[in-house]
Amino acid sequence: MNRFCISLQWENPKMEYPANSHIKRLGVIAFLLAWPWIILDYFLPAYARNELQATAFDIGLYLALFSITMAFVRLWIGSLVDRYGRRQFLIAGICCYILAILFYGLATGIPFVMIASVFHGLGSALFWIPAYAIVADLSDPSQRGATYGLLTGRNQQGLFVGTFMGFALIPFLEGLLSEMSDPFRWAWKGTFLVYALLGLYALFLGLQGLKGLSRPLKVVPEQEQRPPHGFPPLLIVIFLTGFGQTLLTPLLILYLLDRFALTIPELAFSYVPAAVISAVLPPFAGRLADKIGYQRSIAIGLLTSAVTFLLIPWAPTIFVLVLLWAIEAACLTLASPAQQALVAAWSKENKRGTAYGYYTMAYRLGATLGPLLGGWIYDRVNPAYPFLISSALLLIGAGLILTYRQHQGRDERAPSL
């Protein structure tokens, strides 16, 4: 760091990279908050329809509210995080997550689900923007990819563990409460109360362990900062990644069911390899990105993902398809920490919250459009076409990031925005 770099006012300036105490604690918090969300994707539509008499429009509306809330608040949250400090917004995000879990779990009608969806979107924006900024602030620039991989890995591990806990706990509680009227509803509530307790523990960790991040950054004079450079092409690549990836997110399970007529245990087996890779690989992918370069890692990840998406519709057996799914998970895992690290490398030190606001907005915009277009094409045109379109989008993203690297002709890790 040269003398023009800004400094943070935390308590212990001597830190071990990349796993200093703040980042390790942040990883534990991300792990605990991630538990409910895959179970929510699996069970909430059925729960809302059977227990709350929701229509298909109601279910679509709660999904839209989640995305719209995130897209609406992310940009201004980023600037506020830069102005007023990281910790208070991160704590607010944890609180919103807990409220979302409680409203989802204790819902007695569709209005409760809608409220939960808004809190869920707020929680995601309020938590992840300062979390990404904290990692950029605290990590050694030469090990930033590994640090983002650590945080992403903890989140994916939480999704994995929470999913299997939910799959085990809901049937167990349903059997235990079988003498009561509507045992599934009580099992649902009990499971989400467990998730809420884990969220409360995450809140305790945040309140106790991140005190040194409560103040804003010391801003250097504007003339001492480097000129903006390179950020818009990266946002386009991130948008294409979100668009291409989520074009298939709701369809892959549907494609497995339609083509191979899988049972529920077989479907769970199909999910496990990709889930394990997503949970275990991110820290290693981040370290590799630090060694070979962030733009190179993004390009390799997107190119190989594009190839696997291209091959999936022609997989002759379920085992080949599961193998391709696992390879795709590994490839996108390689790209993700590198994208997050490159946002930090290409942003001004006192504008990182704003930069991650743009980053998450670009990804979320792609992730909002992807499922809508993918579902329409799958139903109305041809089930194979979403895979081809997703492959094309990722190829374009890889080409853009490689072209910009060649045009720029300099060290991709040098801060330039």
Side-chain angles (χ1 to χ4, degrees), residues 252-401:
L252 198 50
I253 297 295
L254 186 61
Y255 184 78
L256 285 168
L257 291 172
D258 289 345
R259 182 168 176 192
F260 297 104
L262 301 184
T263 64
I264 295 300
E266 289 170 337
L267 191 61
F269 163 76
S270 303
Y271 164 76
V272 167
V276 170
I277 287 172
S278 297
V280 172
L281 193 60
F284 302 99
R287 293 191 193 103
L288 180 62
D290 287 327
K291 291 181 180 179
I292 69 173
Y294 302 139
Q295 288 173 261
R296 221 176 264 118
S297 295
I298 295 168
I300 292 170
L302 296 186
L303 281 170
T304 47
S305 295
V307 172
T308 58
F309 283 151
L310 197 62
L311 295 175
I312 281 176
W314 287 272
T317 67
I318 181 61
F319 297 104
V320 174
L321 195 149
V322 169
L323 176 62
L324 290 172
W325 191 1
I327 294 171
E328 177 269 332
C331 297
L332 288 179
T333 298
L334 177 63
S336 179
Q339 287 180 344
Q340 294 157 5
L342 201 56
V343 172
W346 284 0
S347 59
K348 298 174 185 175
E349 290 90 340
N350 66 318
K351 295 291 185 182
R352 281 173 178 154
T354 303
Y356 282 104
Y358 279 105
Y359 162 76
T360 54
M361 187 197 69
Y363 184 88
R364 181 50 51 187
L365 182 59
T368 300
L369 297 175
L372 296 175
L373 179 63
W376 186 86
I377 293 173
Y378 189 94
D379 286 336
R380 302 291 182 88
V381 185
N382 188 305
Y385 284 7
F387 294 91
L388 304 180
I389 295 170
S390 179
S391 178
L393 290 171
L394 296 180
L395 284 172
I396 292 169
L400 282 175
I401 202 71

Side-chain angles (χ1 to χ4, degrees), residues 42 46 48 56 63 97-98 107 133 137 145 159 163 189-190 195 201 223 229 235 263-264 269 322 358 380 393 404 408:
Y42 270 94
L63 291 170
Y97 267 135
I98 295 169
D137 295 336
L159 291 172
T163 298
K189 290 180 178 180
Y195 290 145
Y201 182 56
Q223 63 269 20
H229 223 338
L235 291 180
T263 64
I264 295 300
F269 163 76
V322 169
Y358 279 105
R380 302 291 182 88
L393 290 171
Y404 192 74
Q408 203 171 16

